[in-house]
Amino acid sequence: MSAIVQSPNSIIQLTISCKGLKKSGKGLKKNKPNPCVFVYLQTINDNGNQEWICVDRTEICKEEVNPKFNKIFTFDYYFEKAQKLAFILVNITKEKEENNIMSQKYMGYCEAPLGQIISSGKYAPYEVLVTKQPPPEGIDVKLSKKKPKNEGKYGKFSICVEELKDTKNEYNFTVSCRNLDKKDKLAGTSDPFFVISKKQIDGSMLEVYRSEVISKNINPTFKHFSINAGLLCNCNRDMPLLWEVKDWNKSGELKYIGKFEASLNMIMDSPTKEFELIYEKKQKKHKNYINSGIFVFEECTLQVPNEEELIPPTFYDFISTGTEIKLTIGIDMSASNGGFSKARIDSCLHRLYDDGRLNDYQKTIKVIGSILEAYDTDKLIPVYAFGCKVDNRIEQCWPINEDEINPEIDGIDSVLEVYEYAVRRVQFSGPTTFSEIINLVGTNADKAIDGDITGVGNKENHLKAYNILLIITDGDVTSFRETIDSIVNNSNKAMSIIIVGVGDCKFTDMSILDADNKKLVSSSGKMAERDITNFITLNKYRDDTPAELAQAVLTEIPEQLQSFIKMYRVVPYDKEHAKLHPHLQSVFDLSELN
């Protein structure tokens, strides 16, 4: 019994400073503020609604208009999650209530996805103006009755990000248990396994490891295992971890045996390396209760890679040093999606609702696009329709803004607006093929490797951009073999293909394209160099939150990028390369290089 744990792409740290904050008061008697920043993370509550959770706050910098805060904020970074942050700047006027944001004078805020902050540059801070507008809904502050003046007069946020160096480290464990409670009364034994969890910023518990089940044994010794330091405890040995032992049953009903809480430092400092398992309900019920067993750490050691070892760069290394994620969207507008006649409108997959509801195409564009656009500095997204007829001509790669020369649309909100126009503009037709748009993105991906730079030994390449093609379809593809050929022929390029199936089709052909277990082979017998396709059906995630949908769609992208860089010995850009190449100069702080 082994649970799949979604590991973060990196563990990162943020530090905050501000520049040019506004003084308060009138005339010559203007006072410098006592600034402090409260940091909020947008999360999903138990009801599936978004809410803002206060992560923590910085210290107070007294009488300072250019504060540099020492407080470090640590986050698990997931490419496939939005992880939106808000930074609320206040002037601490009541020190006795310094933790109460409502008691302080509001100075402004900024808001950004964590991915956007990271992609701003490893060697340069993410800088944005302080806006005096009210903060996002759900964050309460004491607002001034005065109307804000022109933006740009309230100072600037400067947010620095770096990856924790210890994320390459691993902890090795060998654990056993002694005298566990007997949960199977008839057999007089238990089928134990254990779970390790850590507390998230929002207070929820995240399972980071689940062991195998040891059958019929109240004195089990579990298999030796290793776990990444970042995943286990955010590289913080003092982080409290929850260790739980449970009993497995065929029925699927798990019985609780006991738990304890201990950080790695507590475990390593323990002279016996033994901890009592406590079942609190049983403890309250029985006066003579001692424990439900003993959990023993036979090994708990830290493994640090040798300096001589070649540690491959992480996904974070590329995103933070200039490699952009370039999104292209392909939309199925074939006749199988239905039509707008009275008889067909209820089943039309492209139906536009007057009450603000989103159809499945709009929902997918918004959920996936809003995450990916954070990694693209210009936010320009080419969008094409296929399987449609425009002015009596069949189109398999029609730019929905009707601009062949410049098919890019500025931001996801604009994409959704132009989509509505395109749906009314075209005639749903056919046949339907993916190959034309796949080959188009493949051609763009040919320019992804920067051939002007050579690294150590003149062997390394550098990656300017990684392309993601999002295809949204009802699954009715006419030229399936041609589609396979185009995927295979482009499998050696800096690109991934995400296919989202909408509607009630069985999607048998689409499942074949998602070659997780077997590589695709073209009609000429050529085998795909790497797996670049991920397919999901939207109906499977109908009851899930947008965050869960995004995770299902995007979770394979970092691994697919990693498979590409291994193929071509791609390395991240550094400062010297940025100095040489103008297209990177906006990403890096080059002042210290002059």
Side-chain angles (χ1 to χ4, degrees):
M1 176 180 171
S2 178
I4 297 175
V5 178
Q6 187 65 37
S7 301
N9 299 112
S10 289
I11 310 297
I12 60 97
Q13 291 184 327
L14 297 183
T15 53
I16 307 165
S17 60
C18 297
K19 300 176 183 177
L21 298 184
K22 193 174 177 63
K23 298 178 183 179
S24 61
K26 295 181 179 180
L28 298 176
K29 294 185 178 180
K30 289 187 176 182
N31 299 316
K32 292 182 180 180
N34 302 318
C36 174
V37 178
F38 286 73
V39 179
Y40 287 78
L41 173 68
Q42 192 176 67
T43 62
I44 306 296
N45 62 24
D46 294 337
N47 298 321
N49 299 319
Q50 292 180 337
E51 66 177 359
W52 290 95
I53 299 293
C54 184
V55 174
D56 206 342
R57 67 171 180 85
T58 65
E59 73 278 16
I60 305 167
C61 289
K62 292 189 176 182
E63 298 185 0
E64 182 59 70
V65 294
N66 299 299
K68 292 184 178 181
F69 301 101
N70 295 319
K71 173 71 178 180
I72 296 174
F73 298 86
T74 303
F75 294 91
D76 289 350
Y77 162 59
Y78 297 86
F79 167 73
E80 66 273 15
K81 296 182 181 181
Q83 295 183 273
K84 190 174 289 185
L85 297 173
F87 302 86
I88 313 299
L89 177 65
V90 296
N91 180 8
I92 301 294
T93 55
K94 298 180 180 178
E95 286 195 46
K96 291 183 179 180
E97 301 179 54
E98 61 185 36
N99 291 319
N100 183 1
I101 194 171
M102 286 294 292
S103 299
Q104 315 306 331
K105 185 177 180 181
Y106 175 62
M107 297 181 69
Y109 87 103
C110 76
E111 178 185 345
L114 182 56
Q116 183 173 328
I117 297 172
I118 289 173
S119 60
S120 66
K122 184 177 182 179
Y123 304 114
Y126 173 78
E127 294 193 333
V128 62
L129 293 175
V130 175
T131 176
K132 196 68 179 286
Q133 297 297 322
E137 186 177 352
I139 301 178
D140 296 324
V141 296
K142 187 177 180 180
L143 295 172
S144 171
K145 294 181 180 179
K146 296 181 181 179
K147 289 186 178 181
K149 296 181 180 180
N150 295 332
E151 299 294 344
K153 293 190 175 182
Y154 298 101
K156 181 186 293 186
F157 282 104
S158 184
I159 303 167
C160 292
V161 59
E162 66 176 317
E163 185 179 30
L164 278 176
K165 296 178 181 178
D166 292 343
T167 52
K168 304 293 193 307
N169 300 344
E170 287 195 337
Y171 283 92
N172 298 318
F173 293 95
T174 302
V175 303
S176 62
C177 294
R178 189 169 70 244
N179 300 328
L180 295 178
D181 284 351
K182 300 171 183 177
K183 292 297 180 179
D184 188 343
K185 301 297 183 183
L186 292 177
T189 186
S190 291
D191 303 310
F193 68 95
F194 71 90
V195 176
I196 311 173
S197 301
K198 67 179 178 181
K199 185 173 286 188
Q200 297 282 76
I201 288 173
D202 61 4
S204 63
M205 298 303 295
L206 175 68
E207 181 180 319
V208 296
Y209 182 80
R210 179 175 293 209
S211 76
E212 76 282 8
V213 173
I214 305 292
S215 298
K216 299 179 181 179
N217 197 329
I218 61 171
N219 298 293
T221 297
F222 295 93
K223 290 180 181 177
H224 172 89
F225 69 97
S226 299
I227 185 168
N228 177 269
L231 172 61
L232 178 62
C233 61
N234 293 359
C235 304
N236 177 9
R237 288 197 198 185
D238 290 317
M239 173 181 280
L241 300 173
L242 181 64
W243 305 77
E244 300 172 288
V245 179
K246 301 177 182 181
D247 174 63
W248 177 85
N249 285 286
K250 279 186 179 180
S251 64
E253 180 185 359
L254 302 179
K255 295 181 180 179
Y256 206 81
I257 295 179
K259 68 178 181 179
F260 67 96
E261 193 174 282
S263 67
L264 290 172
N265 273 338
M266 287 175 61
I267 296 167
M268 291 177 170
D269 293 342
S270 168
T272 63
K273 303 290 191 296
E274 296 184 356
F275 294 82
E276 288 187 312
L277 291 164
I278 303 298
Y279 187 9
E280 292 177 349
K281 287 185 179 179
K282 190 174 179 180
Q283 187 181 44
K284 291 177 181 177
K285 192 174 181 180
H286 301 284
K287 291 183 179 180
N288 297 325
Y289 177 85
I290 299 176
N291 59 53
S292 292
I294 304 296
F295 197 95
V296 182
F297 290 91
E298 298 178 11
E299 178 188 5
C300 177
T301 58
L302 176 63
Q303 179 180 339
V304 180
N306 296 325
E307 292 183 6
E308 295 78 16
E309 289 184 36
L310 181 62
I311 301 174
T314 64
F315 179 76
Y316 164 86
D317 289 327
F318 288 92
I319 297 303
S320 65
T321 57
T323 297
E324 292 193 80
I325 299 294
K326 290 291 186 182
L327 173 64
T328 301
I329 301 176
I331 302 173
D332 185 344
M333 292 190 179
S334 59
S336 56
N337 283 276
F340 294 136
S341 65
K342 288 185 179 180
R344 303 185 70 191
I345 186 64
D346 288 341
S347 61
C348 179
L349 295 173
H350 284 295
R351 181 177 180 178
L352 302 175
Y353 294 93
D354 295 330
D355 59 5
R357 281 182 292 163
L358 301 180
N359 66 39
D360 285 348
Y361 282 91
Q362 291 169 309
K363 179 180 179 181
T364 304
I365 290 170
K366 183 174 183 178
V367 169
I368 308 307
S370 60
I371 291 178
L372 293 181
E373 72 172 345
Y375 297 91
D376 190 345
T377 52
D378 60 19
K379 306 288 187 291
L380 298 177
I381 304 165
V383 186
Y384 299 90
F386 55 86
C388 57
K389 185 181 288 187
V390 183
D391 298 332
N392 293 318
R393 187 175 67 185
I394 299 296
E395 297 282 358
Q396 299 296 352
C397 201
W398 179 70
I400 68 170
N401 66 353
E402 301 202 75
D403 190 338
E404 295 279 354
I405 298 175
N406 184 19
E408 297 176 322
I409 301 172
D410 188 5
I412 287 299
D413 290 340
S414 297
V415 169
L416 291 169
E417 291 177 10
V418 181
Y419 163 81
E420 291 190 22
Y421 161 79
V423 165
R424 296 185 177 98
R425 170 78 170 87
V426 306
Q427 178 183 346
F428 300 158
S429 182
T432 307
T433 177
F434 297 166
S435 57
E436 192 167 333
I437 191 171
I438 291 173
N439 290 330
L440 173 67
V441 174
T443 300
N444 294 335
D446 284 334
K447 307 168 187 176
I449 287 185
D450 195 335
D452 296 333
I453 301 176
T454 53
V456 179
N458 297 326
K459 292 181 180 179
E460 284 79 10
N461 296 295
H462 296 75
L463 190 62
K464 291 185 287 188
Y466 191 79
N467 294 266
I468 296 178
L469 170 59
L470 171 61
I471 296 177
I472 315 171
T473 179
D474 71 342
D476 188 10
V477 180
T478 308
S479 51
F480 184 62
R481 172 47 61 185
E482 189 178 341
T483 298
I484 291 179
D485 288 350
S486 61
I487 293 174
V488 171
N489 291 334
N490 288 285
S491 63
N492 63 340
K493 297 180 180 178
M495 65 180 288
S496 290
I497 303 169
I498 300 167
I499 303 175
V500 177
V502 298
D504 298 322
C505 176
K506 291 184 178 180
F507 297 107
T508 304
D509 287 346
M510 298 299 100
S511 298
I512 294 173
L513 299 181
D514 191 346
D516 285 336
N517 301 317
K518 185 179 180 180
K519 286 188 176 181
L520 293 176
V521 180
S522 71
S523 54
S524 65
K526 180 182 178 182
M527 184 175 290
E529 305 235 3
R530 43 189 275 273
D531 175 22
I532 63 170
T533 309
N534 184 27
F535 167 72
I536 72 153
T537 57
L538 195 60
N539 280 343
K540 183 178 178 181
Y541 299 91
R542 180 73 59 194
D543 298 328
D544 292 343
T545 64
E548 290 168 320
L549 170 62
Q551 183 168 336
V553 172
L554 298 175
T555 189
E556 293 185 16
I557 297 298
E559 185 178 336
Q560 289 175 351
L561 185 148
Q562 291 288 100
S563 70
F564 176 80
I565 67 171
K566 289 176 184 177
M567 183 182 296
Y568 287 101
R569 284 191 62 118
V570 177
V571 296
Y573 285 106
D574 58 28
K575 285 188 178 182
E576 290 301 322
H577 295 140
K579 184 179 179 182
L580 295 171
H581 291 266
H583 71 276
L584 287 176
Q585 289 183 9
S586 62
V587 178
F588 295 89
D589 179 6
L590 302 178
S591 58
E592 65 185 78
L593 297 176
N594 295 330

